[in-house]
Amino acid sequence: MKIYSLTGPSGTGKSYQAPGFMAEHEIHTLIDDGLLINDDVVVAGISAKRQKTRIGAVKVALFTDGGQAAAVSSKIKEINPESILIIGTSDRMTDIIAETLGLPPVEERFYIDDISTEEERKKAEKSREQQGKHVIPVPTVQLKRDFAGYFMNPEMLMRSAKNMADKAQEAIKKPSALLRRGHDETAKTVVRPTYSYLGDFIINEKVIKDIAKCVGRDVPGIHGVISVYENTEPENLKMIVAVDIDRDVKVWETATEFQRKLVEAVENMTAFNVVSTDIEIRSLV
């Protein structure tokens, strides 16, 4: 098993450049920020970007928790890859990770300066410092199973009221296409970690209710959206939606379709990950 390392200062675009670098060197397995990624799929580990503090993020990235390290080490043995790329901020960090996980020493070292231009690094640093953007080199659809933070999609967040309404309809009708745009095509997901210093994103209760009503009008059989209860916490967004359903439709299938479309629309419109959505059927009309 050959171990590669890619190092450079925080925020210089290592995770962004990683997929291209791995394709060039035919590397299929990656260790980055506490995650073990194989063929663009998170197979073990905990994302450092889920931690509430920078200190906690560093500990996760270094696999200081014995349970996390053991799980990742076991998965590596199961996969038995020919090579692994370890991403870190220094050679010492990648050496510690390799030793902690019981891997062979790093055999070939690369640095962010070797694979990116100065302009690309400055752009990455600006995105990190001014917008809190972090890249995780896996598709958004795959990452959503494990990450309950902010999914950055400024193109969706910076619309006028009219364009937002148009995008709501597009999100309802073609949610998967919107989700893939700019992310899945290159196996990269842009997130803003919990420990960001840029303050909180706030979501107004009325926004969720308006989206739910919009989705309800688009789903045949939903007679009306009665009420929406949600905790308005982007880190742990949960919704309970009460609806009336037409008596002459298949109730379970209709409620399930409404639930699915509502989750997709909210996630695409707000960039927050919905943890759970419960649908209450108040009456058959």
Side-chain angles (χ1 to χ4, degrees), residues 110-144:
F110 291 86
Y111 302 92
I112 189 63
D113 293 3
D114 299 330
I115 65 171
S116 65
T117 65
E118 183 178 358
E119 182 180 356
E120 287 173 330
R121 294 192 294 276
K122 286 183 178 180
K123 183 178 180 179
E125 289 173 348
K126 183 177 180 180
S127 293
R128 175 68 59 87
E129 293 173 3
Q130 297 184 6
Q131 300 175 349
K133 290 183 178 180
H134 293 241
V135 171
I136 300 179
V138 294
T140 301
V141 173
Q142 201 280 326
L143 185 63
K144 277 180 174 291

Side-chain angles (χ1 to χ4, degrees), residues 195-265:
Y195 57 78
S196 173
Y197 54 87
L198 296 177
D200 293 333
F201 289 152
I202 303 299
I203 186 167
N204 190 289
E205 295 179 5
K206 188 176 184 298
V207 173
I208 301 295
K209 188 170 185 178
D210 286 348
I211 293 175
K213 288 183 176 180
C214 186
V215 174
R217 288 195 296 268
D218 193 65
V219 176
I222 297 295
H223 188 81
V225 175
I226 308 305
S227 60
V228 179
Y229 306 95
E230 33 78 31
N231 58 2
T232 66
E233 296 177 12
E235 295 298 320
N236 191 32
L237 187 58
K238 299 178 180 179
M239 298 184 291
I240 301 176
V241 183
V243 299
D244 288 337
I245 290 183
D246 293 338
R247 185 180 297 274
D248 58 349
V249 301
K250 294 182 179 180
V251 175
W252 179 267
E253 287 83 353
T254 300
T256 301
E257 177 69 2
F258 173 72
Q259 180 188 53
R260 181 184 64 81
K261 288 193 172 184
L262 177 60
V263 170
E264 291 173 338

Side-chain angles (χ1 to χ4, degrees), residues 127-164:
S127 293
R128 175 68 59 87
E129 293 173 3
Q130 297 184 6
Q131 300 175 349
K133 290 183 178 180
H134 293 241
V135 171
I136 300 179
V138 294
T140 301
V141 173
Q142 201 280 326
L143 185 63
K144 277 180 174 291
R145 304 169 192 167
D146 185 61
F147 192 91
Y150 305 113
F151 288 81
M152 302 291 287
N153 192 343
E155 186 177 344
M156 291 290 290
L157 294 174
M158 302 300 291
R159 299 291 185 183
S160 65
K162 180 179 183 302
N163 284 344
M164 286 290 278

